[in-house]
Structure formats: C-alpha cells, structure tokens
Amino acid sequence: MQQIYNPMTEADQQMEAVLAVSELPSDAAAEALAEIAASLDLPSELRAAAAWGMGQGAARRPELLLDRIVDPEPIVALHAISAVDELSSDLQRTLVGWMEGGDAIQASAAAQLLQRHGCVDSLLEACGGGRNARLWALRALGELPAALVRCLAEDRLTPDIEGVLLPMWLGQEDWLRQDGKEGLDALDIQKVRFR
C-alpha cells in the first residue's frame, strides 16, 4: 500500500500494485481498494482501476462502490458503474432513494444502474415515489426492451405508466433513430458547404 501512495513510485508500478490488490480475495483488499478509489490525491486512472477492482476483482464489494458511482471524476464514476455486476436488494433500495433525492448526478447514476441490471421492480417502485424518482424511473424503463418490462412487471404495469413508456419504446424501433441516424447526420453536415 505504501508503494501506491509514495509520490516517488512510477505510475505503472502504482497501477500494478492496485491490480495486485484487486486479485486478493479478502475484505481487507476490498477496503484498501475503496480507500485508494476515494483518494482525490491519486491520479484518476489509478482511482478508476481501484473502483474496477472493487467490482470485478477477487473480493467483490459493490456496496463499497456507491460513493465512486457519483465520483467527481467521470472516469472513476464510469468504471464504478460498469464494475457493478449485480445489485442486492439493499443496493436497489439505496438507488431508489437516490432517485427520490434532489441530486441529479445521484439520480442519473441510480437510474442507469437499475436499468442496466433490469431491475424493473425497483424502477416501478420508484414510479410511485416523488416526481423526480418517477421521471428518472420512467426514462430508465423506457430504455429497456418493452417485452422485458412487460414480462417482469406483469400486472404492475399500469395503463398510465405504459402510456408514458410507449413513445420511448417506439423510438427503440424507429429506423431513423437507429440505422438511418448516421446517414442523416452525415447529410446534415454536408448542407453546411452549400450555404
């Protein structure tokens, strides 16, 4: 650990040390990675590697990633979000709470994680919360495949919620937003030459 915090240590040696700690299957290793990931004095790439190790390493502790999911450094936050492979019911409740709060960064990260993991139940629960939670949850549900939401929601998918989600689901099938989008963007750029 001293090697990681020593300013005289080369960056590649620091990274190797973080990767080595990530391979240790112990709570102490996970807590050391959490400490490294939280240290704003360390390079963001090193902190991102530590966040990745907490979610993908030998001692996976996704609950320790919560603060890194909303890290001020985007590279750290993105690694933390991507490193989470599963969400316990406790983590899902915490994320629904984030959606209900007023912090847009927390709410966005929470909605993204719940959506990425197909947590339809938690997203539907958030739809019944305050206005912020409802909006974030609807956006996340709208990005999931309609068949998946309908299957997992069963009778909890009310006509009101489904009515809001239908335009988003149609957008998933709109060829102009999928295959045709790049072509339209390229043609729009060419218009500039003729003006």
Side-chain angles (χ1 to χ4, degrees):
M1 283 291 291
Q2 288 178 325
Q3 182 181 9
I4 294 169
Y5 290 100
N6 183 345
M8 302 304 288
T9 304
E10 297 289 326
D12 60 335
Q13 291 175 330
Q14 288 177 313
M15 186 63 77
E16 285 298 322
V18 167
L19 296 176
V21 172
S22 296
E23 295 302 317
L24 299 174
S26 70
D27 286 342
E31 289 166 11
L33 290 170
E35 182 181 321
I36 294 164
S39 180
L40 298 176
D41 296 332
L42 293 173
S44 56
E45 293 81 11
L46 197 63
R47 297 176 56 237
W52 185 261
M54 282 189 285
Q56 295 294 303
R60 296 179 181 180
R61 296 278 301 278
E63 70 278 5
L64 294 178
L65 285 169
L66 282 176
D67 290 338
R68 300 296 55 87
I69 288 167
V70 292
D71 195 272
E73 287 287 333
I75 190 171
V76 177
L78 292 173
H79 276 74
I81 290 168
S82 182
V84 175
D85 272 343
E86 57 186 67
L87 296 173
S88 67
S89 55
D90 287 342
L91 278 175
Q92 288 182 46
R93 280 191 293 278
T94 298
L95 294 173
V96 168
W98 281 12
M99 291 168 58
E100 292 171 350
D103 187 312
I105 292 173
Q106 278 188 335
S108 174
Q112 178 64 226
L113 273 165
L114 291 169
Q115 180 259 321
R116 287 172 61 95
H117 293 279
C119 300
V120 172
D121 287 341
S122 292
L123 290 167
L124 286 171
E125 176 188 329
C127 283
R131 183 176 189 273
N132 282 341
R134 180 178 171 79
L135 294 175
W136 284 108
L138 288 169
R139 184 196 58 88
L141 286 166
E143 290 179 3
L144 288 170
L148 175 71
V149 174
R150 286 183 176 123
C151 177
L152 295 176
E154 297 174 344
D155 60 345
R156 291 167 297 164
L157 186 62
T158 65
D160 173 49
I161 291 174
E162 188 168 12
V164 173
L165 296 176
L166 281 174
M168 291 184 261
W169 289 338
L170 284 173
Q172 292 176 10
E173 300 170 11
D174 182 350
W175 75 275
L176 290 172
R177 293 184 67 196
Q178 306 300 324
D179 301 332
K181 182 163 178 20
E182 287 182 25
L184 285 174
D185 289 346
L187 291 170
D188 286 343
I189 290 170
Q190 292 179 18
K191 288 180 187 177
V192 174
R193 284 192 333 190
F194 298 107
R195 289 189 184 179

